[in-house]
Amino acid sequence: MRPFSYERAADMAGAIEAASVASDAHIRAPVQFLAGGTTLLDLMKIDVMRPERLVDINPLAPALSGISVREDGLRLGALTKMSAAADHPDVIRNYPVLAQSLKLAASAQLRNMASLSGNVLQRTRCLYFRDVAWEACNKRNPGSGCAALEGNTRKHAILGVSPHCIAAYPGDFAQALLVLDATVAIAGRDGERTIPFHQLHRLPGDTPQAETNLAPGEIITHFDIPSRPWTRRSLYLKVRDRESYEFAVASAAVALDMQGGHVRDARIALGGVATIPWRASGAEEALKGGTLDESSAKAAAQAAFEPARAQGDNHFKIELGQATLVRALLDAASLEIRS
Amino acid sequence: MNAPSRIDGGMIGRSVPRIDGRLKVTGAACYPSDVGVEDAAHAFLVTSTIARGRIKQFHLEDAQAVEGVLDILTYENTRGKVGKARFFAGGGYTSTTIMPMDSPKIWHDGQIVAMVVAETFEAAREAAHKVRVDYDVREAVAGFGDTRPQPRQMSNPLSGSDPKTGDAEKAFREAEVQVDAYYATPTQHHNPIELFTTTCVWSGDTLTVYEPSQFVHGLKNGLAQQLNMSADKIRVVSPFVGGAFGSKAALTPRTAFVALAAKRLNRPVKLVSTRAQAFTVSTYRAETEHHVKLGADRSGRLTSLSHEGWEVSSRPDNYKVAGTETTSLLYACPNIYTKVNIVHADRGTPGFMRSPAEVPYVYALECAMDELAVALTMDPVELRRINDTQVNPIDGKPYSSRALMQCYDRAAEAFGWSKRNPLPGSMTDGDWLIGWGCATACYPSNVAPAEARVTVAPNGTVRVQTAGHDIGTGAYTAIALTAADLLGVPLEQVSVELGDSTLPPAPVAGGSNATASICNAVAQACEDIRDRLAQAASHADGPLGGADHGAMRLRDGRLVTPDGRSEPLKDALTRIDFGPMESYVKYTPEIASGTVKVMGHKMLESGLPAMTSGSAAGDHIQYAFGAEFLEVRIHRRTREIRVPRIVGAFAAGRIISPTTARSQLLGGMIWGIGSALHEATDIDRRAARYLNDDLAEYLIPVNADIRDVDVIFVPEEDYQVNALGIKGLGELGNVGTAAAVSNAVFHATGRRIRDLPIRIEDLL
Ligand SMILES: Cc1cc2nc3c(=O)[nH]c(=O)nc-3n(C[C@H](O)[C@H](O)[C@H](O)COP(=O)(O)OP(=O)(O)OC[C@H]3O[C@@H](n4cnc5c(N)ncnc54)[C@H](O)[C@@H]3O)c2cc1C
Ligand code: SF4
């Protein structure tokens, strides 16, 4: 850990101003916002992140946190704690995929500390990224190469990979936001803007360090989740080696709009297997208008993993990812939805 | 056979809460890492980022420029200042013969190369992150694998040769039924919650060391040798230990450098190494490979057993666990062949980790036994029964007691084993495949010399002092129960002092010997006190005058005769002395022989290992046994593996403290589940570097993984093992569990996974 200065944000404009500094990426800027700190401080202690200045945005919590349930959707303040959203009865009932993705994440202690915005911005668990003894890491050290490519890749991605980085996006909640067509509200120097959630993260390409489309200084203020025919028939399935407190080996967020046995609309996102929160549009298309059964679920899963590129140890994720999706789809189809 | 001790005071064997429990749950227990020392400077380690080569040059300018930095130790200024001490596994003190910071040579990734000392922890850490080192890098060998070096053959450390009898190869060729398979277990790390910390305080020429330790006398004497000073001038304090599992048994290289830094600065120095550094500054369980061949006749009787093992060690050290010592005596078989090989790699020296030998070796044998049962279409419990033995098949020496089949029967019944459909894949519950498996647990009943002082005050309070260790095992409670029982006082009147090298020496808390060794010493001291009180009472005027002193007991605060006469303990005490009465005992195990019998206490006082193994107990062998049954559930589609229930029945002699003994066995079985499904240190083969060196990525079972755990004690009386009839059980519970898991996975899926850990991808 390196020395840094710490200040509490007095207001939004001041926080934005303080952090609007030149940098090649929001997450790499020398001025970082401090929310729950569970990603940031962890990475600072192991010397992976070295910000010079932390602007604690928790004083802005009155404006930036809270859960409001409206007719047309749900608004989640950026600094809402993971646990608060996970335990909220309306979220549990009407947006089950959101509540489940949060409840199955991390540990109770972390969920009590961590914010929703910090959660979507959490960084990869790639162990080559997390240990500075590895010189080659394009994400930590742009242009240095990628130590993981020829290394132990069990936890690495098979979707959205590039020759420069195969790090998996580790979070769960983002997949839920993705399938529910959430939008992200962002405040910056030039005012406020709203983007669809799928535009938040960037594929690694040849700049894996960039991670998101946020500009330095920009603050996520809230997430809007529209209420749609599929929000209640939704679930999050997380497959891992132990029952709790582990990142996904493979996961699937699924939301379905069904009429009888027919799929009017299907929304699918995959976790643990991709470099960013991954929308499986091909699989969604394959399901739309048809019936949902074992064989159509399998066909959809195959379509979802069509673009997969495995590397070493993570070959099994092609099969596991498909099995996870099939199970999630069939489970979602058989959910009993009471009005 | 030894006469049973007078243990009928009603305390030994009573279930009482851990006597130090309140201190622990309220945070009042002061662990060595918690000790606050005034004016301490803080140290932070810098470890190597290469596995093999030499340090070319240090760049220390940036680190030195950090405000508050006081000193930076590297081999350039510490070379020659720390002397050699002998290797623990070779009968000495140190966890490794590698001496970091004594030369530019690098033996393994994560080796200590520098220690930064600063006014604050934060400054030391910042400066440590700014130390840059240039290396000459040589290609490293990570362990087994493609670049596998020629195995170097080693002989067995205990018997001097690998156990063998008959002609196993010929018998295997001729066997009606054969099993021939390879098994593997991964690298594992202890990951105790209390990190590897050391605080050194000099006062003139005397040194106090606060360090979590499983062997304060070993630490003291080894450090004295390294620092070339008298052991009398060193005190090691470790009253509580926040987990150890073998990792804190031997003297690791860090301690001497903290002492050195404190000397250089003339002020106390505290080192806290990080979780990641914990993977390389102490020891680990090395990965192993096994080739097991079993031959049997159609009735299931073993005709041939051969077990060859390969273990990884560091380049300079021949550390090995050689569990063939145990796997060769587990079942009746006329033809046995064993061999153990060491494969040297560019890694740190491995070391003891809970049931070091038994965990990997019994895993391999117990899976092979299950494979044999399948090949014979025989129930695996019946196969064990057919091959049960009461003697060591190698040399015919009898077991002092062996209740393996009673354990199987009790556990099988509690588990409901008779309802098992043996056909693989035949049992399901919805989308979950169910598998039931079982395996044998066993552990040698080791005993070591131990010393203890027991003092009884006229008001009836009892003080027990011995430099034993409570590493979470319940030693405080077991020792207090023993003294309360023999002295006939309430448990609340007994206080126990442990973990301080100024106390009477006690052996390493390892090899599950502590309860047996220390409680026998304490019992002897109590007996001595009772005897002196009884003699005086029978000789003097008074209510007990003329009574047979040998038959008197201490009960409920009174000295009593068999015919019902009695007097208060206070009267008995003050008859002899106005002050407290004390007894100091040097207990030598009944099974000790050779050097240990003659010089065991000199060895103990010098901090040297002096344990007699249950596998070499003179005219017999002594082991504790158990049988474990468990259920796995595997999802039909996504193949997660869960263990909803496990039952273990154990026969381990007299159980002194059932509550804490149960915790040991329960924790052991949970660990066993973890060692089958979760625990493994990932190594990057190119760099010979550990990858998942934190508690998020190094998986162990969490609460949600563990549901029903049932521990059954099978009563067993065996006074041949030692006077109190104690067989250690701290390391019994996690032996065999991994095999039971693997066997259950086979039953659920029809797939035999022989390499641990068993993961989702193995079952897709
Ligand atoms: C051991 C462990 C296990 C975990 N397991 C899981 C798991 O299973 N599943 C899972 O999903 N997650 C898991 N996590 C990740 C955890 O959920 C995240 O660390 C947490 O959500 C981050 O939130 P935070 O508020 O603490 O973020 P911080 O650490 O405070 O912030 C993270 C980053 O986001 C930036 N940031 C935060 N808020 C804003 C904002 N409003 N606008 C702009 N930038 C912002 C910060 O500047 C920082 O760079 C785990 C974490 C740990 C340590
Ligand atoms: S996968 Fe990405 S994060 Fe991991 S080492 Fe390669 S570049 Fe770095």
Side-chain angles (χ1 to χ4, degrees):
Chain A
M1 197 181 229
R2 317 271 166 153
F4 58 91
S5 69
Y6 166 89
E7 70 210 50
R8 292 171 66 77
D11 54 38
M12 188 88 129
I16 291 170
E17 197 50 44
S20 297
V21 292
S23 170
D24 60 352
H26 183 266
I27 199 72
R28 287 163 52 82
V31 185
Q32 287 288 314
F33 298 125
L34 177 68
T38 61
T39 286
L40 184 57
L41 296 183
D42 180 28
L43 291 172
M44 285 168 68
K45 284 187 204 163
I46 57 176
D47 212 26
V48 169
M49 284 182 73
R50 301 171 181 181
E52 291 157 13
R53 187 170 166 196
L54 296 191
V55 178
D56 186 344
I57 52 176
N58 287 295
L60 310 180
L64 293 185
S65 69
I67 300 169
S68 47
V69 186
R70 309 167 193 191
E71 194 66 0
D72 60 342
L74 180 70
R75 174 166 290 189
L76 298 172
L79 293 185
T80 307
K81 297 295 183 193
M82 287 170 73
S83 52
D87 297 340
H88 194 282
D90 286 304
V91 181
I92 293 173
R93 186 181 136 88
N94 295 322
Y95 303 85
V97 65
L98 285 180
Q100 290 164 14
S101 70
L102 290 166
K103 192 87 186 177
L104 294 172
S107 64
Q109 294 90 332
L110 285 157
R111 294 194 295 271
N112 285 337
M113 214 42 213
S115 66
L116 297 180
S117 52
N119 184 282
V120 301
L121 297 176
Q122 67 180 283
R123 310 197 68 187
T124 183
R125 300 296 298 190
C126 170
L127 294 165
Y128 298 92
F129 168 75
R130 286 178 58 86
D131 182 350
V132 294
W134 296 99
E135 265 157 40
C137 173
N138 287 324
K139 197 184 262 304
R140 176 164 39 76
N141 215 347
S144 61
C146 170
L149 282 176
E150 302 294 323
N152 300 20
T153 57
R154 180 175 192 263
K155 291 281 184 116
H156 287 78
I158 54 174
L159 291 166
V161 297
S162 88
H164 306 283
C165 181
I166 57 169
Y169 174 78
D172 295 302
F173 179 54
Q175 281 75 248
L177 291 173
L178 205 52
V179 291
L180 298 186
D181 280 348
T183 56
V184 189
I186 299 161
R189 237 182 186 167
D190 308 325
E192 297 187 5
R193 63 185 181 118
T194 298
I195 58 170
F197 188 78
H198 71 83
Q199 284 176 14
L200 181 63
H201 290 89
R202 285 169 55 150
L203 282 166
D206 54 10
T207 53
Q209 73 276 16
E211 297 186 10
T212 67
N213 286 314
L214 295 177
E218 284 193 315
I219 293 184
I220 296 178
T221 58
H222 57 266
F223 304 93
D224 278 316
I225 301 106
S227 170
R228 292 285 153 80
W230 51 75
T231 46
R232 288 192 62 196
R233 186 178 292 284
S234 68
L235 60 77
Y236 191 71
L237 176 66
K238 184 170 178 182
V239 174
R240 43 187 164 172
D241 301 306
R242 67 179 171 191
E243 187 68 16
S244 178
Y245 191 43
E246 191 190 355
F247 293 91
V249 179
S251 72
V254 166
L256 299 176
D257 178 13
M258 306 271 297
Q259 191 179 39
H262 274 264
V263 181
R264 265 204 299 242
D265 206 341
R267 345 251 328 149
I268 298 169
L270 303 171
V273 291
T275 52
I276 55 170
W278 189 263
R279 186 79 182 261
S281 324
E284 294 175 358
E285 288 312 317
L287 285 171
K288 273 184 207 165
T291 51
L292 184 46
D293 55 22
E294 176 96 22
S295 80
S296 64
K298 280 191 167 148
Q302 221 162 21
F305 285 86
E306 236 267 294
R309 281 222 327 267
Q311 174 77 29
D313 307 327
N314 64 15
H315 265 275
F316 76 99
K317 283 188 172 177
I318 298 180
E319 198 180 336
L320 178 64
Q322 293 184 35
T324 305
L325 180 51
V326 170
R327 182 177 159 192
L329 285 169
L330 295 175
D331 285 356
S334 63
L335 282 178
E336 290 209 14
I337 310 290
R338 273 168 291 130
S339 37
Chain B
M1 185 178 285
N2 308 299
S5 249
R6 286 172 249 272
I7 37 179
D8 47 7
M11 293 309 292
I12 284 180
R14 184 182 290 193
S15 294
V16 298
R18 206 178 272 270
I19 62 170
D20 47 334
R22 173 175 280 271
L23 286 181
K24 286 185 170 170
V25 299
T26 57
C30 189
Y31 291 79
S33 304
D34 296 337
V35 170
V37 171
E38 216 166 306
D39 193 36
H42 296 266
F44 200 95
L45 298 174
V46 180
T47 57
S48 72
T49 55
I50 67 160
R52 187 179 182 200
R54 298 175 75 79
I55 298 168
K56 259 197 318 213
Q57 201 188 347
F58 285 103
H59 302 277
L60 302 178
E61 313 73 38
D62 293 351
Q64 271 153 347
V66 171
E67 196 184 320
V69 168
L70 301 167
D71 199 2
I72 301 179
L73 275 60
T74 68
Y75 80 90
E76 289 169 351
N77 54 25
T78 64
R79 178 178 232 161
K81 300 234 164 66
V82 174
K84 269 197 169 43
R86 253 175 48 216
F87 183 37
F88 192 101
Y93 304 103
T94 63
S95 61
T96 174
T97 63
I98 294 170
M99 297 184 55
M101 299 218 280
D102 195 54
S103 80
K105 194 166 164 67
I106 301 297
W107 295 92
H108 63 90
D109 185 75
Q111 177 181 319
I112 300 171
V113 296
M115 195 171 84
V116 180
V117 190
E119 291 288 350
T120 62
F121 175 79
E122 290 74 16
R125 176 172 57 184
E126 180 195 349
H129 284 160
K130 287 182 170 163
V131 168
R132 282 186 302 118
V133 189
D134 296 339
Y135 298 100
D136 269 328
V137 188
R138 292 184 61 195
E139 202 175 327
V141 173
F144 305 138
D146 320 334
T147 49
R148 184 164 170 170
Q150 271 311 101
R152 202 160 109 201
Q153 244 178 273
M154 297 302 306
S155 63
N156 190 296
L158 292 169
S159 57
S161 68
D162 292 312
K164 283 184 191 60
T165 187
D167 187 342
E169 194 47 46
K170 179 163 172 288
F172 180 75
R173 275 197 313 271
E174 294 167 358
E176 288 171 340
V177 184
Q178 298 173 330
V179 168
D180 182 343
Y182 287 83
Y183 304 88
T185 65
T187 315
Q188 296 178 337
H189 280 80
H190 313 78
N191 276 309
I193 289 300
E194 187 178 18
L195 289 164
F196 297 101
T197 71
T198 302
T199 304
C200 285
V201 185
W202 288 94
S203 164
D205 62 350
T206 66
L207 171 64
T208 305
V209 181
Y210 302 93
E211 180 178 307
S213 169
Q214 290 172 263
F215 194 20
V216 290
H217 271 271
L219 187 57
K220 166 179 117 162
N221 283 279
L223 188 59
Q225 219 171 74
Q226 287 183 330
L227 298 177
N228 192 22
M229 61 189 282
S230 158
D232 300 340
K233 302 266 183 204
I234 299 181
R235 177 180 174 204
V236 177
V237 185
S238 178
F240 296 99
V241 182
F245 319 114
S247 65
K248 292 164 181 168
L251 173 62
T252 65
R254 72 185 193 274
T255 312
F257 293 107
V258 182
L260 204 63
K263 185 111 225 169
R264 282 162 68 97
L265 291 173
N266 195 21
R267 94 186 242 201
V269 172
K270 176 169 189 170
L271 167 73
V272 178
S273 45
T274 65
R275 176 60 61 192
Q277 289 168 349
F279 280 71
T280 61
V281 302
S282 182
T283 64
Y284 61 97
R285 193 197 295 284
E287 57 272 40
T288 65
E289 292 186 354
H290 305 262
H291 185 196
V292 180
K293 293 198 286 184
L294 299 178
D297 62 23
R298 289 253 166 251
S299 72
R301 269 205 316 270
L302 286 170
T303 55
S304 174
L305 183 158
S306 94
H307 190 167
E308 179 164 8
W310 289 263
E311 307 179 19
V312 164
S313 187
S314 60
R315 288 222 183 248
D317 292 326
N318 286 327
Y319 179 87
K320 67 179 181 306
V321 299
T324 45
E325 188 73 38
T326 290
T327 55
S328 63
L329 50 68
L330 211 41
Y331 297 114
C333 183
N335 302 291
I336 296 173
Y337 171 84
T338 68
K339 187 174 162 194
V340 174
N341 310 279
I342 295 183
V343 176
H344 293 277
D346 297 297
R347 299 266 299 280
T349 303
F352 316 103
M353 182 161 156
R354 200 173 188 179
S355 343
E358 285 70 20
V359 158
Y361 281 80
V362 172
Y363 163 70
L365 178 60
E366 286 300 289
C367 288
M369 285 296 279
D370 198 72
E371 298 203 45
L372 181 60
V374 171
L376 288 158
T377 51
M378 177 181 277
D379 185 275
V381 178
E382 284 320 297
L383 181 64
R384 266 73 169 202
R385 198 182 313 281
I386 289 167
N387 292 291
D388 193 25
T389 177
Q390 294 294 329
V391 302
N392 181 347
I394 300 286
D395 59 14
K397 284 186 183 169
Y399 282 93
S400 61
S401 59
R402 167 167 157 139
L404 175 63
M405 291 323 297
Q406 288 92 313
C407 293
Y408 264 106
D409 292 340
R410 288 286 304 278
E413 201 197 326
F415 185 82
W417 184 253
S418 61
K419 297 193 211 65
R420 177 180 186 257
N421 179 343
L423 197 69
S426 62
M427 292 168 66
T428 55
D429 178 6
D431 277 339
W432 293 86
L433 309 176
I434 292 177
W436 289 1
C438 64
T440 297
C442 63
Y443 199 82
S445 305
N446 308 322
V447 199
E451 302 180 11
R453 183 188 296 113
V454 175
T455 312
V456 186
N459 67 0
T461 58
V462 176
R463 188 171 175 201
V464 184
Q465 295 170 298
T466 172
H469 317 79
D470 194 324
I471 54 176
T473 44
Y476 278 109
T477 309
I479 292 167
L481 283 168
T482 303
D485 191 293
L486 283 132
L487 294 173
V489 299
L491 191 61
E492 305 73 57
Q493 284 183 25
V494 181
S495 67
V496 180
E497 293 163 42
L498 302 176
D500 187 325
S501 66
T502 56
L503 298 170
V508 61
S512 299
N513 86 95
T515 308
S517 310
I518 295 170
C519 288
N520 273 293
V522 170
Q524 280 188 2
C526 295
E527 291 265 272
D528 173 49
I529 288 172
R530 184 206 56 82
D531 202 48
R532 278 149 61 193
L533 294 175
Q535 288 209 31
S538 71
H539 284 123
D541 298 339
L544 310 189
D548 170 12
H549 65 82
M552 287 187 209
R553 299 280 187 279
L554 285 165
R555 257 329 138 265
D556 305 325
R558 304 179 75 82
L559 185 62
V560 300
T561 64
D563 58 14
R565 285 182 287 159
S566 72
E567 69 175 359
L569 174 60
K570 182 174 194 293
D571 296 353
L573 278 164
T574 46
R575 177 176 296 118
I576 300 183
D577 199 330
F578 287 113
M581 186 168 169
E582 178 184 303
S583 176
Y584 189 107
V585 157
K586 298 188 176 195
Y587 164 73
T588 303
E590 294 81 344
I591 59 166
S593 61
T595 349
V596 174
K597 186 166 183 165
V598 185
M599 317 187 336
H601 286 276
K602 170 116 192 284
M603 292 162 76
L604 176 65
E605 282 151 31
S606 313
L608 295 169
M611 198 162 75
T612 300
S613 168
S615 65
D619 59 352
H620 67 278
I621 52 176
Q622 50 190 49
Y623 272 73
F625 285 92
E628 298 182 12
F629 289 71
L630 56 79
E631 173 174 316
V632 300
R633 289 182 167 232
I634 298 165
H635 196 275
R636 185 164 69 87
R637 295 185 191 277
T638 42
R639 300 282 155 171
E640 302 103 306
I641 312 161
R642 302 290 184 255
V643 181
R645 63 192 188 103
I646 178 168
V647 176
F650 303 93
R654 181 177 289 273
I655 306 302
I656 301 288
S657 168
T659 304
T660 53
R662 180 178 173 279
S663 291
Q664 283 295 293
L665 293 166
L666 180 132
M669 289 198 283
I670 294 170
W671 182 322
I673 293 169
S675 75
L677 300 176
H678 306 120
E679 268 194 74
T681 310
D682 296 334
I683 303 172
D684 184 279
R685 309 206 70 81
R686 300 162 300 176
R689 180 180 301 152
Y690 299 134
L691 291 169
N692 54 339
D693 52 4
D694 65 53
L695 289 181
E697 310 289 342
Y698 184 92
L699 301 188
I700 56 168
V702 294
N703 253 326
D705 288 297
I706 303 301
R707 308 218 199 129
D708 291 348
V709 185
D710 190 6
V711 175
I712 298 168
F713 288 111
V714 174
E716 183 175 69
E717 285 203 11
D718 178 348
Y719 298 106
Q720 205 176 346
V721 291
N722 51 65
L724 290 182
I726 299 168
K727 291 179 172 179
L729 51 70
E731 290 164 278
L732 180 59
N734 60 323
V735 179
T737 325
V741 172
S742 174
N743 298 342
V745 166
F746 173 79
H747 181 231
T749 63
R751 288 163 80 162
R752 187 63 75 173
I753 311 299
R754 302 184 179 90
D755 290 9
L756 297 181
I758 303 173
R759 294 250 165 103
I760 293 167
E761 55 266 42
D762 299 316
L763 299 175
L764 283 168

